[in-house]
Amino acid sequence: HDALPISMRIVERNGIKIFEKLINHSHKDIVQNAMLVLGNLFSLPTTQIHKIQDYGILGNVLEMLRLVPEERIQKAGIYLLSRVCQHQSSLNSNLVKDITTLMTSLIDFEKDPDILRSCLYGLKELTERMSKDSPNMLFDPNLHMVLIKLLHHKDPGIVSLTIRILGNLVSIGYFEDLSSLLAAEGFISRVLELANSPDKSVKRDALWLISNVVVEAENGIDAITSSDKTVKLIVSDSENPDPEIRKAAFLALIGTTSQANTFQMEKLVEAGFFRSIMSTLERGEFLPDALEGIKNVLYAGQMKGPNNTNAFLNYVKEANLEKRIKDLIKHPDQNISELAAEIDHSYFKV
């Protein structure tokens, strides 16, 4: 409980300047521990990153990591940099570029797990805090190929971090064209395998990555819905008892409805879309998104059905969806109420 006041005193009393000298010390134990203390210091939200940039410590650390291959120095230095990445918005672009280049060069399947984990954590923190305006030049153009190999790592924690980075890269527009990712050998098949993982974090993150790919890539929907097994997995996991997995699967499911063609919608419906979405409505979860998904699917059914009838009408009746939609017209949230009324008027009063 003393961590925050101590960190404030270190920063206020020019302690950073002392650590700058210690990082260049001839005794490697002192160098290692100085880096670890700074890493802990910058794990705290109250620490102001511009203080450390003003003294140029990070440049010294980057240089040392390039020149000193000693494992304990590498571990401590990468740990420090990974914690600095939590302050991405305060870092200048040149420093971010130098950090990502170094971390990418250290990502190796056979690398010490601690170094690998710190590199991945740093990249995850950077990519989570970036927007689509962030320049692509901040990252090595081959970063995604390095990461795809790590999807086969035996450590679930490393696999989970790797998935998060890939999902973030998709979201921030790292790929000018997602075809390069989707076409990468073994990428789609491995992500679909991981969505079936017994490890909760890996499964959740794989489903979340699928939702990003579906929403951001025009041809992403084809890659995901080409497998009936995957479609059934997304639909069934939207009812998963674990709330985190259920949310990730639901996002993938709704993302799919926003992009799917009529044939792909039919696959979703046959896999149990309306049953699953009814469970979501009954729980009162994600109501606006659920209603948007229902609207998308019913529209596709209307386009497919003959003589102005909805091709998915039997599935709707089986799930008792119409009654639930009418109940939601009385919902106190205006957005939910209006969406329910629109669905009712467009598809149930025809």
Side-chain angles (χ1 to χ4, degrees):
H1 71 275
D2 286 336
L4 294 179
I6 289 172
S7 72
M8 297 292 283
R9 288 202 295 275
I10 290 173
V11 174
E12 288 167 4
R13 297 183 185 182
N14 253 355
I16 300 290
K17 219 167 194 177
I18 297 169
F19 281 106
E20 183 178 23
K21 292 177 181 176
L22 293 177
I23 280 175
N24 292 306
H25 201 280
S26 58
H27 199 300
K28 291 295 185 286
D29 280 343
I30 291 175
V31 174
Q32 177 191 10
N33 284 304
M35 287 179 173
L36 291 173
V37 171
L38 282 171
N40 291 337
L41 183 65
F42 285 94
S43 295
L44 300 170
T46 54
T47 306
Q48 295 175 310
I49 195 68
H50 70 267
K51 296 278 185 183
I52 198 169
Q53 287 191 102
D54 291 346
Y55 296 115
I57 293 178
L58 296 180
N60 292 347
V61 172
L62 285 162
E63 188 64 21
M64 185 168 293
L65 290 173
R66 293 186 190 105
L67 298 175
V68 182
E70 196 172 332
E71 191 172 276
R72 60 178 174 159
I73 299 300
Q74 294 274 315
K75 280 185 182 181
I78 289 295
Y79 171 76
L80 165 57
L81 293 178
S82 71
R83 268 52 194 173
V84 165
C85 291
Q86 295 175 351
H87 304 265
Q88 179 270 330
S89 60
S90 302
L91 297 172
N92 66 60
S93 57
N94 289 334
L95 190 52
V96 172
K97 172 69 174 172
D98 288 342
I99 290 174
T100 59
T101 300
L102 176 70
M103 287 182 167
T104 303
S105 71
L106 291 173
I107 293 175
D108 187 285
F109 207 94
E110 304 301 326
K111 189 65 89 175
D112 178 282
D114 289 337
I115 294 177
L116 186 52
R117 201 173 285 108
S118 287
C119 286
L120 293 172
Y121 177 81
L123 290 170
K124 178 186 81 74
E125 291 295 310
L126 280 175
T127 53
E128 272 183 1
R129 288 163 169 75
M130 289 182 172
S131 66
K132 286 198 173 184
D133 300 326
S134 304
N136 285 353
M137 65 179 184
L138 296 178
F139 297 99
D140 187 301
N142 293 315
L143 174 59
H144 66 289
M145 298 306 295
V146 175
L147 293 171
I148 288 171
K149 291 179 182 176
L150 282 182
L151 292 176
H152 295 271
H153 201 280
K154 63 182 180 182
D155 185 328
I158 286 173
V159 173
S160 190
L161 281 168
T162 303
I163 296 171
R164 297 300 297 188
I165 299 167
L166 284 166
N168 292 339
L169 290 174
V170 169
S171 297
I172 65 175
Y174 164 85
F175 303 94
E176 287 185 16
D177 180 1
L178 267 172
S179 298
S180 60
L181 175 64
L182 297 175
E185 186 178 354
F187 170 69
I188 285 293
S189 60
R190 182 56 180 158
V191 171
L192 298 182
E193 283 175 17
L194 295 172
N196 274 298
S197 171
D199 184 278
K200 171 188 163 180
S201 296
V202 170
K203 180 180 181 66
R204 176 201 64 206
D205 292 340
L207 287 166
W208 171 77
L209 174 55
I210 288 171
S211 73
N212 282 13
V213 168
V214 165
V215 170
E216 298 292 341
E218 287 184 14
N219 51 347
I221 185 72
D222 298 328
I224 301 305
T225 59
S226 61
S227 162
D228 289 346
K229 188 177 177 182
T230 305
V231 172
K232 288 176 182 175
L233 175 75
I234 293 171
V235 171
S236 64
D237 272 334
S238 297
E239 300 180 78
N240 195 293
D242 184 288
E244 291 186 7
I245 292 175
R246 188 166 68 238
K247 180 179 179 181
F250 173 81
L251 291 174
L253 180 62
I254 296 305
T256 303
T257 69
S258 69
Q259 304 287 343
N261 58 34
T262 305
F263 173 70
Q264 291 160 341
M265 288 291 199
E266 192 170 11
K267 274 190 168 187
L268 286 177
V269 171
E270 288 174 353
F273 171 81
F274 286 114
R275 182 203 67 242
S276 176
I277 213 75
M278 265 299 288
S279 297
T280 302
L281 297 180
E282 294 294 346
R283 285 191 300 271
E285 293 179 329
F286 325 121
L287 290 178
D289 290 328
L291 290 170
E292 286 289 354
I294 290 168
K295 192 168 74 168
N296 292 337
V297 174
L298 288 176
Y299 177 79
Q302 200 73 19
M303 293 298 100
K304 182 178 171 60
N307 303 322
N308 207 31
T309 60
N310 201 298
F312 303 144
L313 189 60
N314 287 338
Y315 294 98
V316 169
K317 287 180 177 177
E318 192 178 297
N320 202 21
L321 182 68
E322 184 174 351
K323 181 180 183 304
R324 185 64 183 132
I325 293 296
K326 290 183 184 299
D327 290 342
L328 285 172
I329 294 174
K330 303 167 189 171
H331 198 280
D333 184 303
Q334 185 178 355
N335 183 34
I336 293 170
S337 173
E338 288 178 354
L339 274 170
E342 181 185 347
I343 292 169
D344 181 57
H345 177 76
S346 299
Y347 302 107
F348 300 145
K349 289 190 175 178
V350 176

